[in-house]
């Protein structure tokens, strides 16, 4: 047995994008044990939502939980509040919510892919992916009026309508993005230098994924077919707009990249279908009721299953709001994924998990 | 090899980044910018203040009952909830102008907190004053009614 070293990474580290602390126990550069500490950015948002803000204002507060999946949080909260109010939203609002969620998924997945490339030491590919990502940010800005905090879903519907010229520009920009995505797919799939850092690194088996209860692209890369879009139909009609499950089998960094790239094709198809079949109608269901009872909602955020629980007591302020972010479910899997890998591969593995700690700690 | 030729080709290509100070970046027509206010149309219902999530709008009131609108662009999140809540078309509107930076002289955070507290206090003072005046008026009316009744009673006895 060689000498063991403990190497801390984080909570602030140049290879880490998130305030996340890992303590690696290494032996001859191999990681044999990992400790993770994730609660560095607790902001007390749940308590603020149940004390300071009225239930209609909370959808703007939870949008600030996370910058990348802002729309997932606002939509999940809006849905849970609509369940408490016992209202049904117009079909057009549902379609517009799905449109923005999918545009958001495109930019989030491309961001994650670019960081995997960067942390694997491929700076040029990072730049290229970020350059191609810009179109999705501009489309989101055109649809929602803001690049990051969309504030698009509100309790009862959506806040803005989709203009016909913006719908046309989405279709044309997606058409120009398709060859770029093919190019990215080619590089991530066939580049030899990238494969050295990605193939067979940070692998998780299907059995482990099932035992550790993983969600999102992390689980789908290991062959576990879990996707909320495939399981629920009552709140957002995903199958109607052409959702298709994507899975890989290897469970390593490479297959996580592949999952994200192949999901982009699905997202593009969903967006095209939504715009071509956008139903006419109102944007919002008005009501003067107050939230009452308990409700839960699940929604597929870019990183996996997002869970919301809310309890109302017939007043303006909610009694309890609980947010469970996808990264929280994946922490156990993250720790497992490092085992037996070289310490030098750790940054790429961390980036491939796509951790979002500000969601997790709230 | 393909990558190598691509890299060579990139040497002669133009940069893809936008030349920001010389070229304007992309701003959509209905960008969510500053909130505008038209005083002549306002009906002073204070609904915008009630719905604003961060509390960027507050109305103060002087002793004559006249209200004044205060808005802080640094606190505002540009969600447009106030515009949706406004019952009078055109009194509140969202412009496409981005919120500009604050100067130190503006004292935009502490000054706003102070102004917010003062505005709420001024409304309370006006409400208390109104209540006091109403009570005074009611007492005066009561006294007048009693006096009238008494005088009527007196005249009744003398007649």
């Amino acid at each position: 047995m060689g000498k063991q070293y403990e190497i801390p990474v984080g909570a602030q580290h140049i290879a880490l994008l998130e305030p996340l602390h890992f303590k690696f126990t290494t032996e001859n550069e191999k990681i044999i044990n990992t400790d993770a500490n994730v609660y560095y950015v607790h902001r007390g948002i749940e308590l603020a939502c149940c004390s300071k803000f009225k239930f209609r204002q909370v959808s703007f507060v939870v949008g600030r939980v996370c910058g990348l999946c802002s729309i997932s949080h606002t939509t999940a909260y809006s849905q849970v509040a609509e369940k408490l109010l016992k209202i049904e939203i117009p079909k057009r609002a549902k379609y517009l919510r799905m449109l923005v969620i999918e545009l958001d998924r495109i930019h989030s997945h491309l961001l994650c892919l670019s960081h995997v490339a960067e942390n694997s030491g491929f700076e040029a590919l990072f730049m290229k992916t970020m350059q191609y990502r810009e179109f999705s940010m501009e489309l989101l800005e055109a649809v929602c009026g803001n690049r990051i905090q969309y504030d698009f879903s509100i309790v009862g519907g959506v806040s803005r309508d989709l203009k016909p010229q913006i719908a046309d520009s989405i279709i044309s920009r997606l058409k120009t993005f398709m060859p770029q995505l093919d190019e990215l797919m080619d590089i991530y799939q066939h580049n030899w230098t990238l494969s050295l850092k990605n193939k067979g690194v940070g692998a998780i088996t299907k059995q482990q994924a099932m035992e550790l209860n993983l969600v999102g692209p992390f689980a789908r890369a290991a062959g576990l077919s879990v996707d909320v879009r495939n399981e629920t139909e009552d709140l957002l009609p995903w199958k109607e707009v052409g959702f298709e499950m994507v899975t890989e089998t290897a469970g390593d960094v490479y297959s996580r990249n592949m999952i994200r790239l192949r999901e982009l094709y699905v997202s593009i198809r969903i967006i095209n279908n939504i715009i071509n079949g956008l139903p006419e109608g109102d944007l919002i269901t008005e009501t003067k009721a107050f939230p009452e009872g308990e409700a839960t909602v699940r929604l597929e955020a870019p990183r996996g299953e997002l869970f919301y629980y809310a309890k109302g007591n017939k007043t303006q302020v909610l009694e309890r709001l609980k947010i469970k972010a996808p990264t929280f479910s994946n922490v156990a899997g993250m720790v497992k994924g490092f085992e037996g890998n070289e310490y030098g591969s750790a940054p790429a593995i961390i980036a491939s998990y796509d951790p979002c700690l500000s969601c997790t700690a709230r | 090899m393909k990558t190598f030729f691509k890299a060579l080709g990139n040497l002669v290509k133009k940069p893809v980044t936008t030349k920001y100070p010389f070229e304007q970046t992309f701003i959509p027509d209905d960008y969510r910018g500053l909130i505008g206010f038209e005083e002549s149309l306002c009906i002073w219902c204070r609904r915008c203040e009630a719905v604003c999530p961060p509390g960027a709008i507050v109305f103060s009131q002087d002793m004559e009952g006249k209200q004044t609108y205060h808005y802080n662009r640094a606190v505002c999140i540009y969600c447009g909830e106030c515009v949706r809540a406004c019952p009078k078309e055109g009194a509140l509107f969202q412009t496409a102008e981005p919120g500009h930076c604050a100067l130190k002289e503006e004292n935009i955070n502490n000054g706003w907190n102070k102004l917010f507290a003062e505005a709420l206090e001024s409304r309370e003072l006006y409400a208390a004053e109104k209540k006091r005046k109403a009570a005074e008026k009611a007492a005066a009316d009561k006294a007048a009614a009693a006096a009238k009744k008494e005088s009527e009673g007196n005249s009744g006895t003398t007649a």
Side-chain angles (χ1 to χ4, degrees), chain B residues 81-135:
Chain B
E81 191 74 347
C82 48
V83 181
R84 274 193 293 283
C86 187
K88 185 90 177 163
E89 186 90 8
L92 270 179
F93 51 91
Q94 189 152 29
T95 60
E97 190 195 338
H100 41 96
C101 304
L103 297 173
K104 194 182 171 189
E105 291 83 66
E106 283 182 67
N107 193 10
I108 206 153
N109 286 329
N110 294 335
W112 174 254
N113 291 342
K114 205 171 148 214
L115 192 143
F116 199 92
E118 278 172 7
L120 295 187
E121 202 189 333
S122 74
R123 263 160 38 194
E124 266 170 30
L125 279 176
Y126 173 73
E129 177 71 15
K130 206 173 159 186
K131 207 174 165 189
R132 193 181 64 77
K133 272 187 182 163

Side-chain angles (χ1 to χ4, degrees), chain A residues 53-54 56-57 60 64 131 138 141-142 144-146 149-151 154 159-160 163 166 183 186 191, chain B residues 2-3 6 10 16 26-33 49-54 77-79 81 84 94:
Chain A
F53 295 96
K54 295 171 192 163
R56 278 180 197 279
Q57 298 172 339
F60 300 98
R64 271 81 189 155
Q131 179 199 339
E138 284 180 3
E141 193 178 5
C144 312
N146 215 344
Q149 301 294 355
Y150 312 121
D151 298 337
I154 52 176
S159 58
R160 286 157 72 100
K163 288 183 179 166
I166 292 173
E183 190 191 339
D186 182 50
N191 191 289
Chain B
K2 211 165 99 192
T3 324
K6 244 185 199 158
N10 279 344
V16 289
F26 170 75
I27 292 181
D29 307 331
D30 50 357
Y31 177 79
R32 296 205 326 251
E49 189 193 306
V51 297
C52 181
I77 58 169
Y78 309 104
C79 60
E81 191 74 347
R84 274 193 293 283
Q94 189 152 29

Side-chain angles (χ1 to χ4, degrees), chain A residues 86-333:
Chain A
K86 296 173 190 69
I87 53 171
E88 179 74 19
I89 65 161
K91 203 164 184 197
R92 190 179 175 86
K94 283 184 182 177
Y95 269 61
L96 288 174
R97 278 179 182 182
M98 282 195 290
L99 172 78
V100 181
I101 290 176
E102 288 308 312
L103 278 172
D104 184 67
R105 198 184 306 278
I106 290 179
H107 101 78
S108 175
H109 277 3
L110 284 174
L111 182 95
C112 173
L113 284 164
S114 69
H115 283 305
V116 172
E118 188 200 16
N119 285 2
S120 307
F122 200 161
E123 194 85 5
L125 184 56
F126 163 71
M127 300 273 188
K128 198 177 198 69
T129 319
M130 279 303 215
Q131 179 199 339
Y132 291 162
R133 170 178 175 260
E134 184 58 26
F135 92 100
S136 61
M137 303 296 286
E138 284 180 3
L139 286 181
L140 280 167
E141 193 178 5
V143 175
C144 312
N146 215 344
R147 269 171 80 91
I148 301 288
Q149 301 294 355
Y150 312 121
D151 298 337
F152 191 69
S153 291
I154 52 176
V155 177
V158 293
S159 58
R160 286 157 72 100
D161 201 0
L162 184 72
K163 288 183 179 166
Q165 68 266 30
I166 292 173
D168 291 344
S169 81
I170 291 176
I171 298 273
S172 65
R173 297 289 286 272
L174 282 177
K175 240 178 221 162
T176 52
F177 176 62
M178 271 307 248
Q180 295 173 341
L181 182 56
D182 291 339
E183 190 191 339
L184 284 181
M185 188 84 178
D186 182 50
I187 299 173
Y188 280 97
Q189 213 165 9
H190 298 121
N191 191 289
W192 181 70
T193 18
L194 197 65
S195 77
L196 292 177
K197 280 273 189 186
N198 287 1
K199 276 191 182 167
V201 172
I204 286 269
T205 62
K206 188 177 178 181
Q207 186 60 32
Q208 282 172 335
M210 218 183 290
E211 280 166 7
L212 297 169
N213 204 4
L214 304 185
V215 293
F218 197 7
R220 289 197 285 277
L224 203 63
S225 49
V226 284
D227 195 316
V228 183
R229 290 177 287 175
N230 201 30
E231 293 156 23
T232 57
E233 274 290 286
D234 54 336
L235 296 170
L236 293 175
W238 289 107
K239 282 183 192 150
E240 210 174 282
V241 291
F243 167 72
E244 196 183 285
M245 178 78 84
V246 180
T247 50
E248 294 269 335
T249 47
D252 54 359
V253 178
Y254 170 80
S255 48
R256 272 169 232 149
N257 288 348
M258 284 304 112
I259 284 282
R260 296 209 167 90
L261 283 164
R262 284 171 57 200
E263 275 191 8
L264 291 188
Y265 286 103
V266 178
S267 291
I268 289 171
R269 196 171 64 226
I270 291 178
I271 292 170
N272 279 327
N273 287 345
I274 287 173
I275 289 177
N276 291 332
L278 194 63
E280 290 295 317
D282 294 334
L283 290 177
I284 187 161
T285 309
E286 298 284 355
T287 175
K288 284 193 173 141
F290 287 113
E292 192 195 356
E294 292 175 282
T296 58
V297 152
R298 297 189 303 145
L299 186 99
E300 187 75 10
R303 284 162 190 74
E305 180 189 309
L306 178 64
F307 174 88
Y308 265 70
Y309 163 83
K311 189 178 178 190
N313 50 1
K314 273 193 163 181
T315 57
Q316 283 276 11
V317 182
L318 292 174
E319 199 174 317
R320 178 82 175 98
L321 181 73
K322 167 74 191 155
I323 307 167
K324 200 194 98 190
T327 310
F328 181 76
S329 313
N330 284 344
V331 171

